[in-house]
């Protein structure tokens, strides 16, 4: 069964996924070329250094956005060889779009309203959930930036801590951004943030398997590998979550998104297909990490 899951997923990715997911699959699973991944990512980068062109499939504008740029950095994190010029250009874009009065970044530009999109990506002039993507971006400056960037990122961490203390309502996308930040910080700050993120995880994670086919945060997303920092917090749910992933693979090899736009139906069908490739790669990585495939 496990080999069948892999082979069907591989076939779907090779024949249906975007070129960037195909390149990542071959790099991560079959010793493929890191340069191929870099070359495919370049297609999504604009002259200003930011990323757009529907790298995040749920908004289709070509314009750069901080949100799409974080997707690129999530891919950079997977590579042993870092594409330095591309990363430097992306950081320059993020430096220029930082808004000091907000202590962070707006997720998307106004141009997003001119393109097909999911309704939750409509442009807003205010920040609703500050950590998404600002907390995550701080982590990228800490990891990939200059000495000055790193100093700045460290200076922002007390604000991050205060913000977490102030939260009255939790949102799981924001939680994932804080987890990505936390992974990049020194142990002192990891311990400080762990105390605040633990209750956030408990509040956000859906532990009822009958609800995993709705749009929710599954336990496996908190611990995508057995060595994940918060594995013990969700470990009792991991076996059933792994079983769920195996059982929900489509006969053609892909996994289906649990959401839809409810508008721009033609463009949603394209985005849906792209998400199928993204989710298939994501789930194959999880299943391999837990020795299922």
């Amino acid at each position: 069964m496990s080999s069948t899951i892999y082979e069907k997923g591989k076939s779907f990715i090779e024949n249906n996924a975007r070129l960037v997911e195909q390149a990542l699959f071959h790099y991560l699973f079959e010793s493929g070329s890191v340069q191929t991944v870099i070359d495919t990512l370049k297609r999504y980068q604009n002259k200003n250094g930011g990323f757009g062109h529907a790298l995040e499939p749920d908004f289709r504008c070509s314009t750069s956005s901080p949100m799409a740029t974080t997707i690129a950095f999530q891919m950079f994190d997977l590579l042993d060889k870092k594409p330095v010029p591309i990363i430097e250009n992306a950081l320059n874009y993020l430096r220029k779009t930082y808004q000091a009065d907000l202590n962070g970044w707006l997720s998307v530009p106004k141009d997003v309203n001119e393109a097909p999109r999911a309704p939750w990506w409509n442009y807003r002039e205010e920040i609703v959930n500050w950590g998404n993507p600002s907390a995550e971006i701080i982590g990228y400056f800490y990891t990939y930036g200059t000495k000055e960037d790193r100093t700045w990122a460290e200076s922002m961490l007390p604000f991050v801590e205060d913000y977490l203390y102030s939260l009255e309502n939790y949102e799981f996308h924001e939680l994932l951004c804080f987890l990505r930040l936390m992974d990049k910080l020194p142990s002192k700050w990891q311990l400080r943030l762990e105390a605040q993120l633990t209750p956030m995880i408990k509040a956000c994670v859906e532990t009822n398997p009958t609800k995993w086919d709705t749009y929710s945060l599954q336990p496996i997303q908190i611990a995508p590998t057995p060595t994940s920092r918060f594995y013990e917090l969700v470990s009792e749910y991991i076996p059933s979550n792994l079983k769920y992933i195996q059982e929900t693979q489509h006969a053609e090899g892909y996994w289906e998104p649990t959401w839809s736009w409810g508008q721009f139906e033609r463009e949603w069908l394209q985005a849906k297909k792209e998400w199928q490739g993204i989710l298939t790669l994501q789930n194959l990585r999880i299943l391999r990490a837990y020795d299922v495939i």
Side-chain angles (χ1 to χ4, degrees):
M1 179 180 179
S2 60
S3 61
T4 303
I5 290 173
Y6 175 78
E7 291 301 329
K8 289 167 68 174
K10 173 184 175 180
S11 177
F12 180 82
I13 289 173
E14 290 181 335
N15 291 289
N16 299 280
R18 299 185 299 186
L19 293 178
V20 66
E21 275 77 41
Q22 291 183 28
L24 279 168
F25 171 80
H26 286 290
Y27 172 73
L28 294 170
F29 284 85
E30 301 194 335
S31 302
S33 166
V34 67
Q35 190 59 47
T36 302
V37 179
I38 294 168
D39 290 342
T40 57
L41 264 177
K42 284 180 181 178
R43 301 179 186 185
Y44 295 91
Q45 190 171 33
N46 289 310
K47 290 181 179 180
N48 65 2
F51 284 77
H53 305 281
L55 184 58
E56 208 292 4
D58 282 341
F59 57 93
R60 312 299 294 180
C61 68
S62 59
T63 308
S64 298
S65 69
M67 184 60 68
T69 303
T70 65
I71 304 300
F73 273 98
Q74 290 170 27
M75 295 179 179
F76 297 151
D77 280 349
L78 300 176
L79 307 180
D80 291 330
K81 174 189 173 186
K82 307 302 181 185
V84 175
I86 297 178
I87 290 174
E88 288 179 349
N89 290 335
L91 289 176
N92 280 332
Y93 163 76
L94 292 171
R95 291 185 190 102
K96 293 175 182 177
T97 51
Y98 175 75
Q99 296 187 218
D101 59 322
L102 301 175
N103 283 319
W105 291 261
L106 293 176
S107 299
V108 293
K110 290 181 181 180
D111 291 5
V112 76
N113 285 352
E114 305 302 318
R117 65 200 178 280
W120 51 86
W121 285 122
N122 291 342
Y123 174 75
R124 298 175 180 178
E125 292 187 351
E126 77 281 3
I127 292 180
V128 178
N129 298 298
W130 174 86
N132 183 16
S134 294
E136 181 174 343
I137 292 173
I138 290 170
Y140 297 133
F141 275 106
Y142 189 88
T143 301
Y144 295 108
T146 64
K147 181 179 179 181
E148 290 76 16
D149 290 329
R150 193 181 183 95
T151 299
W152 172 81
E154 288 186 25
S155 75
M156 288 295 295
L157 297 179
F159 175 84
V160 170
E161 192 171 34
D162 290 344
Y163 175 83
L164 284 168
Y165 273 124
S166 73
L167 283 179
E168 296 180 357
N169 298 299
Y170 298 136
E171 198 279 327
F172 79 75
H173 299 90
E174 187 174 38
L175 166 62
L176 292 173
C177 291
F178 281 115
L179 293 176
R180 294 184 191 112
L181 165 64
M182 184 180 176
D183 282 343
K184 299 182 181 309
L185 298 178
S187 57
K188 178 187 76 172
W189 274 103
Q190 287 186 346
L191 289 171
R192 288 174 66 166
L193 295 184
E194 181 176 352
Q196 297 171 74
L197 291 178
T198 296
M200 195 173 183
I201 291 170
K202 291 179 178 178
C204 289
V205 171
E206 178 55 69
T207 58
N208 184 346
T210 65
K211 296 183 178 180
W212 288 341
D213 60 353
T214 64
Y215 192 57
S216 58
L217 181 66
Q218 296 178 28
I220 205 78
Q221 292 173 267
I222 298 299
T225 76
T227 58
S228 298
R229 186 175 189 88
F230 290 99
Y231 171 80
E232 293 300 329
L233 198 60
V234 296
S235 60
E236 65 180 293
Y237 310 108
I238 295 299
S240 57
N241 208 165
L242 289 171
K243 181 180 179 183
Y244 170 81
I245 291 173
Q246 294 173 74
E247 291 176 345
T248 53
Q249 186 183 31
H250 191 276
E252 295 181 11
Y254 63 82
W255 280 266
E256 196 83 273
T258 57
W259 66 94
S260 63
W261 293 0
Q263 59 185 29
F264 300 108
E265 289 303 321
R266 182 172 63 86
E267 291 83 3
W268 161 244
L269 290 177
Q270 177 62 34
K272 180 181 179 180
K273 183 177 179 181
E274 292 171 5
W275 276 114
Q276 289 169 349
I278 293 167
L279 294 171
T280 300
L281 177 59
Q282 171 186 296
N283 285 333
L284 291 180
R285 290 178 59 216
I286 289 170
L287 293 174
R288 181 175 66 172
Y290 281 93
D291 293 325
V292 175
I293 60 174

